[in-house]
Amino acid sequence: MKYKCVIFDFDGTLANTENVIFRVYNEIAKKYGYKEITHDYIDELKHQPIHNIIKDLGVPYLKVFSLIKKGQKLMKEYHKSMDPYEEDLKETLKILKSKLSYMGIISSNSKKNINTFLKNEKIDTMDFIISSPLFSKEIKINKLKKKLKLKDEDILYVGDEVRDIVSAKKANIDIASVTYGYNTKEYLSSENPTYFIDDLKELFNIIEK
């Protein structure tokens, strides 16, 4: 099997935004009276479904999406704190792109934040950047699939959370789950991703199998 298109998640997959999200969330929590978090608590969250996290933090579900928008705006102030997980990310992505027809990002973060990160890292290999709701990434994936005239087996999604696996399965595409992001490998295993990877360079062999 050789994949023609690789779609990346952003937070927890390409960019290490954990400290930024920690600071942004606590700013919002303090302002609106929600439960603030510690770094130890973040480690606990990596084992839990996102619905449980929202409930535990005391955030009304109907407020989640508006708070995400507020958080995305605040993230712009901390863009210099968003580091790539790999020091040679630019080169890794350049090699990957040479083996593919298409490569891009579908993320629940904003296009502005993603573009700022890519510009800072001098990465220019993405064919598309698509912002998606927190859930239901499969809708964006299916639209892209139709636009690019790709088959299910042509696409590989790369993400770090259980919700990425769920969306990939709903879109009938394979997924490589990274083991260093916002969910633990143990928790990711509960949804049986197609592949596990500890490093993005492992994709070199996967896309050509």
Side-chain angles (χ1 to χ4, degrees):
M1 178 187 293
K2 181 174 180 179
Y3 297 103
K4 296 179 180 178
C5 175
V6 168
I7 305 171
F8 289 99
D9 177 42
F10 178 67
D11 300 277
T13 301
L14 295 178
N16 184 353
T17 56
E18 186 172 302
N19 286 332
V20 175
I21 289 176
F22 171 81
R23 292 161 70 181
V24 166
Y25 171 77
N26 277 341
E27 279 189 37
I28 292 173
K30 187 174 182 179
K31 181 176 181 179
Y32 293 98
Y34 302 131
K35 179 179 178 180
E36 295 184 47
I37 58 176
T38 63
H39 283 289
D40 288 340
Y41 184 72
I42 288 179
D43 290 334
E44 293 178 25
L45 299 182
K46 294 182 179 183
H47 302 268
Q48 298 184 41
I50 194 164
H51 293 89
N52 290 6
I53 295 169
I54 292 169
K55 183 178 180 180
D56 187 56
L57 293 174
V59 178
Y61 197 76
L62 293 176
K63 296 285 187 180
V64 170
F65 299 103
S66 64
L67 291 177
I68 287 173
K69 291 295 182 184
K70 289 181 173 67
Q72 289 173 349
K73 290 180 180 178
L74 283 173
M75 282 185 77
K76 289 189 291 185
E77 300 175 17
Y78 299 109
H79 67 87
K80 291 183 179 179
S81 299
M82 292 192 289
D83 298 317
Y85 272 106
E86 297 186 13
E87 290 184 5
D88 55 350
L89 178 63
K90 178 183 176 180
E91 185 61 27
T92 298
L93 293 176
K94 184 178 179 180
I95 294 170
L96 275 174
K97 183 60 174 66
S98 71
K99 301 173 182 290
L100 299 163
S101 299
Y102 304 101
M103 186 171 74
I105 297 170
I106 295 181
S107 167
S108 53
N109 208 324
S110 70
K111 289 179 69 173
K112 285 185 178 180
N113 288 338
I114 296 169
N115 276 319
T116 297
F117 171 84
L118 296 176
K119 183 178 180 180
N120 288 345
E121 298 301 321
K122 297 180 173 59
I123 294 170
D124 60 0
T125 44
M126 297 300 174
D127 297 304
F128 54 86
I129 298 168
I130 300 170
S131 185
S132 168
L134 191 61
F135 304 103
S136 304
K137 285 184 181 178
E138 66 272 10
I139 295 173
K140 299 291 185 178
I141 294 170
N142 285 330
K143 285 183 178 180
L144 181 71
K145 193 189 307 179
K146 185 176 181 180
K147 179 181 179 180
L148 300 181
K149 298 180 181 179
L150 294 171
K151 298 177 182 178
D152 295 344
E153 58 267 27
D154 293 333
I155 305 173
L156 177 69
Y157 193 86
V158 183
D160 68 305
E161 295 183 63
V162 161
R163 63 189 175 95
D164 295 323
I165 304 173
V166 172
S167 288
K169 287 183 176 181
K170 286 181 178 179
N172 295 312
I173 64 171
D174 289 346
I175 179 165
S177 292
V178 303
T179 58
Y180 51 75
Y182 283 102
N183 284 161
T184 63
K185 185 175 182 179
E186 180 183 12
Y187 182 37
L188 292 167
S189 296
S190 67
E191 289 294 336
N192 298 309
T194 317
Y195 311 99
F196 277 115
I197 58 172
D198 301 315
D199 187 293
L200 292 179
K201 293 179 184 63
E202 293 176 48
L203 293 172
F204 297 162
N205 291 327
I206 288 175
I207 63 175
E208 293 184 331
K209 282 184 178 179

